[in-house]
Amino acid sequence: MSLFLGKIHYWLFDKILWFEGLEDEIIKLAQKEGLNIDEIKNEIDLKYGENTQNKNLEEIIDTSNIHGWLQSKINSSEGRVASWTKVMLENDKNNLVKLANVYIYQGIKAAKEVKSSQNLLNAKDIYNSLNDYILDGMPCDRVNEVIISQDDIVEWKKRICVHKDIWEKEGMDVEVFYDLRNLWIKAFVNEVNGDFEYIQKNETEYCISERK
């Protein structure tokens, strides 16, 4: 394993940090709902480890096992989000709507960050930018396969699911995660360029296309 950090490692770490930002917003929501977040957080952190607290990658990564370290951070981050989601829904099933609003807000926030530095003029631009934020395992997992890549439409299919085991470990249906993340993506695409829309065609195929 290489002892040197490359651009792809920083790229993946930034995606982990964004997912941890989502976790932070869910914790804030849990606090508003009156839950004992300190006690719950201690239990979750004992199980999955604490988040990275937005430290510099070079200060915390195990350079003797870069791939393994990043994989473990992905798993622990998603495990914590699955745990917090379960806590929220067990407290009140109606919290699903509030969780949905958190995902939508985070999608808009990401899009505004993108728009502050660049203009995404076509579907390929939007798809590539989307993947700077969406956490879908490691690049070597090759979760998504692009079927069509044109300026007016990008269509892709999900080859494998890297989330199911993590969410089922918490007794959660992974479809809860996918439904919430679809709201994130839809909000992101709508905000970053209103001339395009995100469509889930079926359980494994998705597209970003120019509005008719």
Side-chain angles (χ1 to χ4, degrees):
M1 174 62 67
S2 170
L3 300 180
F4 300 99
L5 292 172
K7 191 176 292 186
I8 192 171
H9 302 126
Y10 287 98
W11 173 76
L12 188 55
F13 184 62
D14 284 343
K15 300 209 296 182
I16 294 170
L17 291 180
W18 257 94
F19 204 72
E20 290 184 350
L22 177 65
E23 176 192 354
D24 290 341
E25 292 301 316
I26 295 174
I27 293 173
K28 290 177 185 177
L29 177 59
Q31 188 172 29
K32 288 180 181 178
E33 292 299 304
L35 297 177
N36 186 342
I37 63 167
D38 289 336
E39 181 179 333
I40 298 167
K41 188 175 186 304
N42 286 337
E43 291 177 2
I44 292 174
D45 287 351
L46 280 172
K47 189 173 184 179
Y48 290 105
E50 297 181 6
N51 67 28
T52 60
Q53 299 178 338
N54 205 12
K55 295 178 181 177
N56 293 326
L57 179 59
E58 55 271 17
E59 294 176 3
I60 56 177
I61 195 169
D62 178 4
T63 54
S64 68
N65 185 19
I66 292 173
H67 184 282
W69 188 91
L70 287 167
Q71 180 70 74
S72 71
K73 289 300 178 184
I74 290 172
N75 290 345
S76 64
S77 179
E78 189 165 351
R80 289 194 305 272
V81 168
S83 295
W84 279 108
T85 303
K86 180 182 180 181
V87 166
M88 291 294 295
L89 295 180
E90 284 183 342
N91 181 63
D92 185 348
K93 290 182 180 179
N94 293 324
N95 280 335
L96 185 59
V97 175
K98 296 176 182 178
L99 287 167
N101 288 332
V102 168
Y103 275 76
I104 291 168
Y105 168 78
Q106 287 293 96
I108 293 171
K109 181 180 177 181
K112 287 182 176 179
E113 181 178 275
V114 171
K115 288 199 298 183
S116 70
S117 61
Q118 57 183 306
N119 291 321
L120 304 185
L121 302 177
N122 58 54
K124 289 187 287 188
D125 289 341
I126 297 170
Y127 178 77
N128 290 333
S129 183
L130 174 67
N131 282 293
D132 289 337
Y133 292 90
I134 289 295
L135 195 58
D136 246 342
M138 298 287 285
C140 57
D141 292 325
R142 294 178 58 246
V143 170
N144 297 311
E145 178 184 347
V146 175
I147 303 168
I148 300 171
S149 181
Q150 299 173 358
D151 286 348
D152 62 338
I153 183 171
V154 170
E155 187 172 319
W156 69 96
K157 68 177 180 180
K158 178 176 65 182
R159 293 179 56 254
I160 58 172
C161 175
V162 293
H163 308 286
K164 184 176 181 179
D165 289 348
I166 296 172
W167 285 75
E168 287 190 348
K169 184 179 178 181
E170 290 300 323
M172 292 289 296
D173 186 344
V174 72
E175 291 305 317
V176 173
F177 166 71
Y178 281 119
D179 288 345
L180 290 169
R181 193 177 68 170
N182 278 337
L183 293 174
W184 191 106
I185 298 173
K186 188 177 183 69
F188 177 89
V189 174
N190 286 343
E191 178 67 28
V192 83
N193 189 329
D195 293 332
F196 290 83
E197 61 181 339
Y198 166 72
I199 300 170
Q200 180 179 1
K201 301 182 68 176
N202 52 52
E203 289 186 357
T204 60
E205 295 185 351
Y206 315 84
C207 75
I208 295 170
S209 64
E210 194 168 10
R211 295 183 188 274
K212 303 302 183 183

